[in-house]
Amino acid sequence: MRDEYEALIANDTWTLTELPPGRKPIKCKWVYKTKYDANGNVDRHKARLVVKGFSQRKGVDYDETYSPMVRHSSLRYLFALSAKHGFYIDQMDATTAFLQGELTEEIYMEQPSCFERSTKRNLVCRLNKALYGLKQSSRVWNAKLNAALQSFGLIRSKYDSCLYYRIDGKQTLFVAIYVDDVIIFSSDEELTKEIKAKLNKTFRMKDLGKASSCLGIRINREKSAVALDQEAYIESILARFNMQSCKSVSTPMNPSVKLTKTMTPQSADDFDKMKRVPYQEAVGSLMYLAQCTRPDILFAVNQLSRYNTNPEPIHWDAVKHLLRYLRGTSKFKLRYMKLGDPELKGYSDASWASDLDDRKSTTGYIFMLQGGAVSWCCKRQPTVALSTCEAEYMALSPTVQEAMWWRGLMSQIGLKQTVELRCDNQSAICIAKNGGYTPRTKHIDIRHHFIRDALNQNAVRLNYVSTDQQVADGLTKPLDRIKLERNRAAMGINASP
């Protein structure tokens, strides 16, 4: 607490002054946290002074609050490029990042407990710099960091506001920002030293050296690959729900078990029992894992999240089944290979009428680069499809949207490419390529027909792939062990070599 307070004073975070008439100061409190490294070991203990921003009034204490963060898919794309080109990957952390942003609003805060000064008068802190807890803190910090990076000669991506780059001949530099974490990818070690020196001169930064972990993801530089895993995070989930000693299973979901919303608690005892079960906490923890490095569990998490409001014991059994699967695969890594396929390819799939409650279909897509998945999605379709063909065609719509984003991102950094999409339904491919009126397709929402425009503009190309080679298959339905192992390997997820 003393270290934090002294840092705040040295930073000129506030000025003690009398409270103006008609103003009410915002309260604050101390928050304590234990920081862990990628292996789950205690890194340091931290105390942070936090403003109770929930009492701020819009138009008085703040106006805008939005602040961007780098997409996980953008980060994975940079890791894939690093595997291909051998980029240096370094990391820096902004020390008390939010405290480095200057406020334009007039905000008053009570003095922090244990460090009050001159209590005889009604003195409060008028904030000069942003503090953690303020609604606009993240926005103020991002604006200052953005201005600095652009002054260093970096270009801000139009497709990801937290991705910056500079390409000069054979020299390439990427900087990704996730709040106060700065991840640097460069083709030249001197470029890394140069950007670090500029950041250190402008901000109070902590140089973490070669990147070993980011956002709970462990980064492994192998001889001919870059591998990502969240073993420590998985172990923490298992320990949190008392599953660290459970027996492992071979699949995330049991294909023979069909979950529905009608499986509600049948008795008062069942209802009381489920109220004490941490169902939502478990699903939320698993969702972060599925979004970062484990697309093989995304379909299971997507299914389980549909029953958050009123789960039944069979739903909780399915959660524990998924945890047992993670027990046996906690060491698996998402791996990008130096000699992997350098062309970005997308796979689109759908499972027709798979939701037994409303008979809506499930969309799944995945994009692959350097032998590993860089982007994936699993979601229920907004309307009911009348056929497998229609479900597959509707699944192509969000896949093409994602492909257009990837095409724009890559073209901005000089990698112009028509993105190849692969679908395992010949009828859907024919509708997309040929169009035309037929009685069985006239009702399909016009929003899905932009697929044809993308094909006509040569922004994407659409080809057929057999179901056995459909990488997105595991994102639309539960698979048996043999199919799962094949599908998981195709995604680039495997155990340590």
Side-chain angles (χ1 to χ4, degrees), residues 379-415:
K379 63 181 179 181
R380 184 169 51 182
Q381 293 183 355
T383 57
V384 176
L386 301 183
S387 65
T388 301
C389 170
E390 183 179 340
E392 295 278 0
Y393 186 71
M394 291 168 62
L396 278 171
S397 178
T399 309
V400 172
Q401 292 178 43
E402 183 74 2
M404 297 290 281
W405 180 86
W406 277 112
R407 186 171 184 266
L409 179 69
M410 292 188 297
S411 64
Q412 195 174 31
I413 61 176
L415 300 174

Side-chain angles (χ1 to χ4, degrees), residues 144-161:
K144 185 172 182 178
L145 182 58
N146 170 61
L149 289 173
Q150 290 185 319
S151 71
F152 299 159
L154 277 78
I155 302 172
R156 189 180 196 178
S157 171
K158 297 178 182 178
Y159 295 88
D160 191 328
S161 299

Side-chain angles (χ1 to χ4, degrees), residues 19 93 158 220 227 230 276 334 394 420 424 447 486:
L19 183 67
D93 177 61
K158 297 178 182 178
N220 305 275
Q230 291 177 275
R276 297 190 295 271
L334 176 58
M394 291 168 62
E420 180 183 353
D424 61 2
R447 71 186 299 269
R486 182 174 64 235

Side-chain angles (χ1 to χ4, degrees), residues 357-370:
D357 293 307
D358 55 18
R359 306 308 293 181
K360 291 181 179 178
S361 307
T362 300
T363 290
Y365 68 70
I366 189 168
F367 285 80
M368 303 291 298
L369 183 68
Q370 300 300 138

Side-chain angles (χ1 to χ4, degrees), residues 98-161:
F98 287 2
L99 310 185
Q100 302 188 50
E102 287 84 5
L103 290 173
T104 57
E105 299 87 358
E106 188 176 331
I107 301 176
Y108 297 92
M109 179 191 76
E110 292 183 353
Q111 295 188 53
S113 60
C114 303
F115 297 93
E116 294 89 347
R117 292 187 180 182
S118 186
T119 57
K120 294 181 180 179
R121 294 185 296 163
N122 187 22
L123 293 183
V124 294
C125 303
R126 177 176 176 174
L127 297 181
N128 304 319
K129 306 286 182 66
L131 268 178
Y132 289 89
L134 285 178
K135 291 181 180 292
Q136 67 268 46
S137 291
S138 182
R139 181 181 180 86
V140 171
W141 158 248
N142 182 264
K144 185 172 182 178
L145 182 58
N146 170 61
L149 289 173
Q150 290 185 319
S151 71
F152 299 159
L154 277 78
I155 302 172
R156 189 180 196 178
S157 171
K158 297 178 182 178
Y159 295 88
D160 191 328
S161 299

